[in-house]
Amino acid sequence: MTGKPDRKTRITVLVALAANLVIAAAKTVGGLASGSPALLSEAAHSVADSLNEVFLLASLHRSRRPADRKHPFGYGKERYFWALLAAVGIFIMGGCFSFFQGFEAARGATGKESHTGYVAGLAVLGVALLAEGTSLARALYQARRQPGTGLGRDPALRTVVAEDGTAVVGVLLAAAGMVLHMVTGDVVYEAVASFSIGLLLVYVAYRLGRDARTQLIGEAADPELRARIRALIEAQPEIDNVDELLTMQLGLDSLLVAARVDLMPGLDSEEVELVCVRIKRSVKMTWPRADHVFLDVTEAPSEAPAEVSEASTEAADGTR
């Protein structure tokens, strides 16, 4: 069911990886040639993004492994684990290095600066802006074309969009810092650009890491879906009440549903079994990604015990 979206996501990640590898090399050469801290910060950003794309490719492969005895619910959460590593990579390799470059620029310890190198560096940033913008456009296009598995649910696609969006903003910040430095001769503008890039990367890493943490811990299905599942179960004629409904995302296309239900009185064990099978089948057919459905069934108390209890009480009162 999700093979085609996964192939598209893999292509999107590969496009981003190719762009970041080329851009990282160009930014590094340009940064070393010009001595620009802002450009070196952007080089670190692109290196971090390249490593993260490798993590995302690993997540796409490993999360597709079938369930086994050790992992009976499958490996769907591998996506969230590798997305968390990508967030850590953005924070350490991108954000921290950008802060370091900012401090170095503020101290005036950026080394010899070359006007010609700065012009070349700005040209590199122009190419980077075009490449990152193209990669971002593809990722956003895929997210819009896949509403069912789009940006909100797919951590790999969400990470690519966040990285490319941050890269576009980072390139603009670095270019602004370099231009102002060239015009005024004051390196403080590049220091501010490096700090700004660092703050941006730390914020993006925090958001991605928070989302991955939530999904790794075990996130419920959205309220609308839970309400629809509850309504389907309650609509069954044998169901007296749904006492509790629990859901948890096991992966991009895997959902666990567990319900504690009260049945109408008078059903024998064979009827109860048939009812459970029918309800599970209905849930799975309506929402194919709900591939693990469990029912905890209790039979609603009949009127007979109450009547017997009342008669016994009256008899006891009569004998007093």
Side-chain angles (χ1 to χ4, degrees), residues 44-58:
H45 180 187
S46 294
V47 170
D49 285 352
S50 300
L51 180 62
N52 292 338
E53 259 90 58
V54 175
F55 288 159
L56 297 180
L57 288 173

Side-chain angles (χ1 to χ4, degrees), residues 1-39:
M1 179 183 62
T2 59
K4 188 174 181 180
D6 263 6
R7 285 194 297 271
K8 290 183 178 180
T9 300
R10 187 175 291 108
I11 292 173
T12 299
V13 174
L14 287 171
V15 168
L17 175 60
N20 280 316
L21 286 174
V22 174
I23 294 169
K27 287 178 180 177
T28 301
V29 173
L32 292 175
S34 64
S36 167
L39 189 52

Side-chain angles (χ1 to χ4, degrees), residues 23-206:
I23 294 169
K27 287 178 180 177
T28 301
V29 173
L32 292 175
S34 64
S36 167
L39 189 52
L40 288 173
S41 296
E42 270 301 292
H45 180 187
S46 294
V47 170
D49 285 352
S50 300
L51 180 62
N52 292 338
E53 259 90 58
V54 175
F55 288 159
L56 297 180
L57 288 173
S59 77
L60 293 175
H61 172 70
R62 296 179 64 85
S63 65
R64 286 288 139 217
R65 291 183 294 170
D68 52 33
R69 184 177 301 177
K70 190 174 182 181
H71 297 89
F73 292 106
Y75 291 82
K77 289 195 175 184
E78 285 266 14
R79 288 191 184 232
Y80 311 134
F81 169 74
W82 291 98
L84 180 61
L85 289 187
V88 174
I90 292 173
F91 177 82
I92 295 176
M93 297 184 63
C96 293
F97 187 80
S98 295
F99 283 129
F100 170 76
Q101 287 296 319
F103 281 119
E104 289 293 294
R107 289 195 320 165
T110 57
K112 186 177 180 180
E113 300 159 1
S114 166
H115 180 82
T116 303
Y118 263 56
V119 173
L122 288 172
V124 168
L125 288 180
V127 175
L129 182 62
L130 180 62
E132 298 286 10
T134 301
S135 179
L136 176 61
R138 174 180 171 80
L140 290 174
Y141 174 77
Q142 183 187 343
R144 293 188 62 181
R145 295 279 292 180
Q146 296 174 205
T149 57
L151 193 57
R153 289 182 51 211
D154 191 340
L157 188 56
R158 183 170 59 243
T159 301
V160 171
V161 171
E163 287 179 349
D164 289 343
T166 305
V168 169
V169 177
V171 166
L172 295 175
L173 289 173
M178 292 177 67
V179 169
L180 290 172
H181 183 189
M182 290 176 63
V183 171
T184 65
D186 193 344
V187 74
V188 70
Y189 293 106
E190 289 216 61
V192 171
S194 294
F195 283 130
S196 300
I197 293 170
L199 287 173
L200 180 63
L201 292 174
V202 168
Y203 173 73
V204 170
Y206 164 74

